[in-house]
Amino acid sequence: MLKKTDPAIIKGYLEDSSNLTGGSADGVYLPESEAEIAEALAECAANKTPLTVSAGQTGTTGGCIPFGGWVLSTQKLNKILNIDAEQKFAVVQPGVTLDELEKAVSKEGLLYPPDPTEKTATLGGNVATNASGGRCYRFGSTRNWIRRLKIALPDGTSYNLKRGLMTANNKDEFVLPQLSFSRPRYLAPGTKNSAGYFSAPRMGLVDLFIGSEGTLGIVTEIEVALVPALKQTFDLVAFFPTEEAAVNFVFESKSKKDATINFYEFFDENTLQMLSPSYPLLPTPCKAAIYIEQEITAGNEKAYLDSWAQLLEKHGASLENSWLGMNAKQKEDLTKFRHAIPEHINEMFKQAHQVKLATDIAVPEDKFREMLKFYNDELRRACRQAGMTNDELMYIKFGHIGDNHLHVNLVAKKPESLDKAKSLALSFIRKAVSLGGTVSAEHGIGKIKRDYLKEMYGATGIAEMVRIKKEFDPAFILGRGNISPAK
Ligand SMILES: Cc1cc2nc3c(=O)[nH]c(=O)nc-3n(C[C@H](O)[C@H](O)[C@H](O)COP(=O)(O)OP(=O)(O)OC[C@H]3O[C@@H](n4cnc5c(N)ncnc54)[C@H](O)[C@@H]3O)c2cc1C
């Protein structure tokens, strides 16, 4: 198996998009088969060497960054093994990127619906973080699309976990040939969720591994469900005079329960201001924007446009003032506009030499307005009290309003603002937990959000996660420092 110990090569594996620094590793395994993954696991298990899986390195929480030991990169495990157009599923190695899978299945007239924005992320990374994107509103997160996973464990065993098989019994215990244990004694929240190990009554073992962030086993093969490609889509970015108007627009539209809407995305005033140098045609003044995508059929465009026009007018916006995606070029431009948001923000964190400080909170639908008000009240109060302007603490709220899930990014442009930013983030976390929400809806916990996970599940919940980890990885070599403390 290919192994690298050259420090210059190792350096390339010490980063992701969290800006977390301080990582180190003695070497990198680059396996090309399941047998080579097993070989790497056996070596590390024998020497109790920590082993961190690294994939596309697009994660936002430092999950793939090693703090000692070896890295196992899935870069060379990048084959699409099968696309079954008839039964609508695909089987891939974990290092296949979203882009590669989407292109391959689209040639068969099919779609892999989860749409986490970053296309260079891998399927293995998506499974490990239970990633989701805008289209989660209609199609759900990665979890919903996993039919089967193959998992390799440090003791040399491997599991082939088919959804619907290997489920917990009526006492919520898994009874497997080598081990038996009960599922975590907490329940995952009903919101979209990627915080810690999944737990639900009579759950399947496959669901324990989805979202486990490389801490329980290595995902070596993935079978995903596919759907027929969307017939035709219509995109719209509408601009609103107030945030409240934008939110009311979304909630009224959602109340119609139209199953053809793929996503609703929200951008606040600061998001738009951040993008305005690159997008000088952004309408001003404008306090918020909403981006929707809807599946339409040829011939009914006019009916949809009329109905959107009416709803927009009612909430202080207009179709004339909106950006429309009616053809491939316009849609591509809007997708780029959407993708530019996290890219710009990640660049701002980089410039500020700050570890990414961004919430990933989702709350129950009936609590969304309360959460948004809390963000705004606290941000205004904190900035007023500290006499801080946007030049000192920049806050950007954007994200998946369809799923009651926004990211609040807190960029401390001056070092003195960092403590304030951190305490604001913690107050958001506590509020979300009090409302029955999650501290991570899609990015996972990694190394930088463990304190938030504790707020959500308490010390007992974390102890439950450690109990589960010990079942699969008794020497604590895998993904050390992700989800539960390194020691
Ligand atoms: C611009 C931008 C936009 C983004 N937008 C979204 C978004 O809309 N939605 C979203 O959910 N995320 C988003 N992300 C975050 C990121 O793309 C996801 O977290 C993604 O799932 C990470 O995949 P990766 O291949 O890059 O994994 P990495 O970052 O390399 O690793 C992530 C975690 O998965 C583990 N892992 C990876 N492969 C395996 C495996 N085979 N077995 C076991 N563990 C494994 C790693 O150990 C690590 O803990 C965005 C990131 C960027 C930079």
Side-chain angles (χ1 to χ4, degrees):
M1 170 179 26
L2 208 54
K3 294 183 195 177
K4 302 279 181 189
T5 50
D6 176 351
I9 292 178
I10 293 173
K11 195 165 172 266
Y13 293 90
L14 305 182
E15 58 184 41
D16 65 0
S17 38
S18 67
N19 275 346
L20 180 64
T21 54
S24 66
D26 297 329
V28 181
Y29 295 105
L30 287 149
E32 294 183 49
S33 63
E34 281 176 40
E36 289 191 345
I37 295 178
E39 197 186 310
L41 274 167
E43 270 183 20
C44 290
N47 305 319
K48 293 201 164 58
T49 304
L51 183 63
T52 302
V53 184
S54 170
Q57 296 175 254
T58 69
T60 63
T61 63
C64 67
I65 301 178
F67 280 73
W70 277 64
V71 170
L72 184 145
S73 164
T74 59
Q75 269 164 304
K76 292 191 178 292
L77 294 157
N78 57 359
K79 290 185 196 61
I80 296 179
L81 301 172
N82 181 26
I83 297 177
D84 188 325
E86 191 108 317
Q87 301 292 318
K88 298 191 186 54
F89 70 86
V91 182
V92 301
Q93 290 187 314
V96 168
T97 65
L98 261 179
D99 191 44
E100 288 161 348
L101 179 65
E102 284 180 5
K103 283 189 176 137
V105 301
S106 81
K107 285 189 194 141
E108 308 288 334
L110 296 168
L111 173 77
Y112 172 60
D115 189 27
T117 325
E118 180 52 54
K119 303 287 183 212
T120 63
T122 67
L123 268 294
N126 281 184
V127 168
T129 56
N130 188 29
S132 57
R135 285 189 184 146
C136 181
Y137 174 71
R138 176 169 173 189
F139 295 105
S141 62
T142 300
R143 182 181 305 285
N144 301 38
W145 297 91
I146 301 302
R147 289 166 44 120
R148 183 176 60 84
L149 289 182
K150 258 186 168 177
I151 306 285
L153 299 179
D155 69 359
T157 3
S158 75
Y159 286 125
N160 194 5
L161 300 173
K162 235 175 162 3
R163 185 164 289 291
L165 302 179
M166 283 179 133
T167 48
N169 63 21
N170 55 9
K171 290 186 192 141
D172 272 337
E173 288 161 346
F174 292 103
V175 183
L176 310 169
Q178 291 92 343
L179 47 126
S180 66
F181 62 97
S182 54
R183 70 161 172 89
R185 281 184 204 87
Y186 54 78
L187 288 178
T191 60
K192 177 180 179 183
N193 181 42
S194 288
Y197 302 149
F198 181 78
S199 183
R202 306 292 302 269
M203 64 185 279
L205 193 55
V206 70
D207 279 318
L208 191 60
F209 284 93
I210 300 170
S212 66
E213 302 190 46
T215 62
L216 299 180
I218 299 181
V219 179
T220 62
E221 192 175 291
I222 304 162
E223 184 175 311
V224 296
L226 305 168
V227 294
L230 300 179
K231 286 183 208 87
Q232 198 181 327
T233 58
F234 158 70
D235 296 36
L236 169 101
V237 178
F239 301 92
F240 292 85
T242 63
E243 270 191 5
E244 199 187 358
V247 173
N248 289 342
F249 166 80
V250 171
F251 274 69
E252 182 166 348
S253 174
K254 271 167 68 170
S255 71
K256 297 180 182 166
K257 307 223 177 300
D258 184 340
T260 62
I261 295 178
N262 297 330
F263 60 68
Y264 296 91
E265 298 279 289
F266 169 90
F267 314 131
D268 77 350
E269 185 180 15
N270 284 350
T271 309
L272 301 171
Q273 270 180 14
M274 172 185 75
L275 293 183
S276 60
S278 318
Y279 290 89
L281 296 181
L282 272 168
T284 48
C286 162
K287 296 284 181 196
I290 298 293
Y291 180 10
I292 57 159
E293 183 188 69
Q294 179 169 34
E295 186 178 15
I296 58 171
T297 43
N300 67 0
E301 292 98 328
K302 174 138 183 15
Y304 279 119
L305 281 174
D306 287 349
S307 115
W308 283 119
Q310 273 182 25
L311 196 62
L312 288 168
E313 295 280 339
K314 184 171 172 191
H315 294 285
S318 74
L319 202 56
E320 294 71 48
N321 211 18
S322 301
W323 292 353
L324 302 187
M326 306 287 280
N327 58 39
K329 168 80 177 75
Q330 288 169 341
K331 282 187 231 267
E332 194 189 323
D333 287 348
L334 293 185
T335 307
K336 278 191 189 149
F337 171 74
R338 169 67 182 84
H339 193 237
I341 298 168
E343 281 183 334
H344 272 66
I345 293 173
N346 289 346
E347 192 50 39
M348 280 166 75
F349 280 117
K350 226 179 204 164
Q351 299 286 329
H353 301 289
Q354 184 191 338
V355 174
K356 186 161 176 151
L357 185 55
T359 68
D360 184 22
I361 287 168
V363 291
E365 175 123 336
D366 61 341
K367 304 289 188 227
F368 178 78
R369 285 188 166 96
E370 185 176 343
M371 191 72 222
L372 182 59
K373 181 172 181 320
F374 187 81
Y375 290 142
N376 288 332
D377 289 350
E378 288 299 296
L379 286 163
R380 272 191 223 110
R381 194 178 54 79
C383 288
R384 205 174 41 240
Q385 262 178 11
M388 285 185 305
T389 64
N390 256 358
D391 293 335
E392 290 160 297
L393 177 68
M394 176 73 168
Y395 52 89
I396 297 161
K397 308 188 299 291
F398 80 97
H400 320 297
I401 191 170
D403 307 313
N404 309 298
H405 169 206
L406 297 186
H407 301 291
V408 183
N409 289 266
L410 296 155
V411 188
K413 292 195 157 183
K414 298 233 166 100
E416 340 36 299
S417 322
L418 188 56
D419 283 347
K420 182 53 77 185
K422 283 183 180 166
S423 75
L424 272 166
L426 189 59
S427 72
F428 299 157
I429 292 295
R430 289 186 172 148
K431 178 71 177 174
V433 170
S434 78
L435 296 177
T438 177
V439 302
S440 175
E442 65 179 8
H443 290 164
I445 297 299
K447 299 185 176 71
I448 66 174
K449 294 194 172 173
R450 288 194 311 248
D451 289 347
Y452 296 169
L453 191 65
K454 207 166 164 191
E455 292 287 334
M456 184 168 163
Y457 285 120
T460 13
I462 305 297
E464 280 294 279
M465 293 187 210
V466 171
R467 172 177 68 81
I468 300 292
K469 181 165 170 62
K470 278 188 186 155
E471 297 288 350
F472 296 98
D473 176 24
F476 262 67
I477 60 170
L478 288 178
R480 204 178 267 187
N482 288 351
I483 298 181
S484 57
K487 285 187 183 147

